[in-house]
Amino acid sequence: MGLKGFAEGGIASIIAGCSTHPLDLIKVRMQLQGENPTALTRPASLAFQPGSTVHVAPPMPQPRVGPIAVGIRLVQQEGIAALFSGVSATVLRQTLYSTTRMGLYDVLKTKWTDPAAGTMPLGRKIEAGLIAGGVGAAVGNPADVAMVRMQADGRLPAAERRNYRSVVDAIARMVRGEGVGSLWRGSSLTVNRAMLVTASQLASYDQFKEMILERGLMHDGLGTHVTASFAAGFVAAVASNPVDVIKTRVMNMRVEPGMAPPYAGALDCALKTVRAEGPMALYKGFVPTISRQGPFTVVLFVTLEQVRKLLKDF
C-alpha cells in the first residue's frame, strides 16, 4: 500500500469531515451545555483588588435543548456561516489525524491479513485500529484543540470570545499566550478517544462488510458499503461519546495566568461532570454524535471505496 493508502484515506476523510462539520459543531455546543462557567473564564470578583468584597450572583441554570434547537439558535444568533466555524481546523485535523490513522491501519491490515484466507481476525483488526488511532491522534492534537475552541467560541459573551481568524491564527495565539504545551492539552483524551473510534469504526466496518459478503446478503457494492459503514458509525459513537465529552471540556477550558485550571485533568473533569450533572452527562450530545458519526462514516467509507477504484492502477 505504501503512501497510496495514506492518500486514499486522507482524501476520503477531508471530504467526510467538511460535509458533516455543522453536525460536529452542534455536537460540541451540546456537550458544553450545563458546564460551570468558571471552566471557561475567570469569575468577575477576581478582577477587583484584594480585600474588596464583591458578591456575584450564581449563574442561572440554562435549560438543555436538543440538537435541532441548538442548530436553529446558532443560526439565529450567529448567522448561517457559523455552522462552518472552525472548518479550516477540521481540514487540518483530517489531513493530520485521519490521513495518519487510515494509512497506518491499511499498512497493518496488509501486513497482518492471512494470505490464504484473505481476511484478518477481529482481534487483529481491533489491535490495528488501536495503534493507528493513537498515532494519528498524537499527530493531529493541535488541530483538534483549535477546532474545539473555534466551534465553541460563539457561545461565549462577545467580550470574552477568542475570535480566531483561522486555524493558523488559533495555533499561533495559543503558542504565544499559553505555550507550546497548550497544543497538546487533552492529548491523553484525544489519543484514548481516537483509539476507541478507530478500533471500533475501522474494525467493525471491515467485520460487517465481510459478514454481509460471506452470507451473500448483498454484493460488494454501494448498498454493502452504506450498510456496513452506518453500523460501524453507531458502534464508534457508543464507544467514544463519554471520552469525547470530557475531551471537549478539557480542551475548551480557559486557563488564566497564575490561576489553577478549572480541571486538574481528565479524571477530575469526569468526576466534576458526573457530580454536577449526573452520569448521563457523559452521553450528552449523543444524538448529534450519532447523527454526525453515522453520515461521517458513510461518506468516509463510500468515498474511500470510490477513491480506491480510481487509484487502483497507480
Side-chain angles (χ1 to χ4, degrees), residues 59-164:
M60 293 293 291
Q62 297 295 316
R64 297 175 185 175
V65 294
I68 295 176
V70 169
I72 292 173
R73 187 171 62 187
L74 178 69
V75 172
Q76 289 175 338
Q77 294 179 353
E78 303 172 45
I80 196 165
L83 291 172
F84 286 90
S85 297
V87 72
S88 61
T90 291
V91 172
L92 180 60
R93 178 178 180 268
Q94 297 299 338
T95 302
L96 297 175
Y97 159 62
S98 288
T99 299
T100 303
R101 74 177 183 124
M102 298 289 286
L104 185 55
Y105 180 82
D106 256 347
V107 169
L108 295 175
K109 181 179 169 182
T110 301
K111 184 177 180 180
W112 292 345
T113 295
D114 183 354
T119 59
M120 183 168 63
L122 179 59
R124 279 293 204 176
K125 291 172 186 169
I126 294 173
E127 186 180 350
L130 291 172
I131 294 171
V135 174
V139 172
N141 200 81
D144 211 359
V145 177
M147 183 183 71
V148 167
R149 290 190 175 196
M150 292 173 77
Q151 289 178 333
D153 209 35
R155 69 187 291 269
L156 295 172
E160 298 173 10
R161 292 178 186 172
R162 299 176 175 107
N163 294 319
Y164 296 132

Side-chain angles (χ1 to χ4, degrees), residues 5-73:
F6 288 87
E8 292 170 344
I11 293 169
S13 298
I14 291 170
I15 292 172
C18 291
S19 61
T20 58
H21 183 82
L23 295 173
D24 193 49
L25 187 146
I26 291 171
K27 177 203 73 174
V28 167
R29 295 290 181 93
M30 288 190 70
Q31 288 175 338
L32 294 172
Q33 283 185 142
E35 186 179 32
N36 189 331
T38 59
L40 303 177
T41 186
R42 186 190 310 187
S45 59
L46 295 179
F48 294 86
Q49 295 297 322
S52 61
T53 302
V54 179
H55 298 284
V56 180
M60 293 293 291
Q62 297 295 316
R64 297 175 185 175
V65 294
I68 295 176
V70 169
I72 292 173
R73 187 171 62 187

Side-chain angles (χ1 to χ4, degrees), residues 139-251:
V139 172
N141 200 81
D144 211 359
V145 177
M147 183 183 71
V148 167
R149 290 190 175 196
M150 292 173 77
Q151 289 178 333
D153 209 35
R155 69 187 291 269
L156 295 172
E160 298 173 10
R161 292 178 186 172
R162 299 176 175 107
N163 294 319
Y164 296 132
R165 295 190 300 274
S166 66
V167 62
V168 175
D169 179 53
I171 290 174
R173 285 170 56 184
M174 278 190 282
V175 171
R176 287 198 303 267
E178 303 171 53
V180 175
S182 66
L183 298 180
W184 275 271
R185 181 171 295 154
S187 58
S188 62
L189 289 164
T190 306
V191 169
N192 289 334
R193 177 188 178 276
M195 291 172 72
L196 288 172
V197 168
T198 306
S200 56
Q201 187 185 65
L202 301 188
S204 60
Y205 174 76
D206 282 344
Q207 192 68 23
F208 284 127
K209 181 181 174 182
E210 287 175 12
M211 289 170 58
I212 291 170
L213 297 177
E214 286 174 1
R215 298 181 183 183
L217 300 176
M218 286 185 262
H219 68 279
D220 190 3
L222 184 61
T224 298
H225 303 157
V226 171
T227 302
S229 58
F230 192 84
F234 181 81
V235 173
V238 172
S240 66
N241 202 87
V243 179
D244 200 27
V245 171
I246 303 306
K247 175 183 77 75
T248 296
R249 294 188 173 198
V250 170
M251 286 183 169

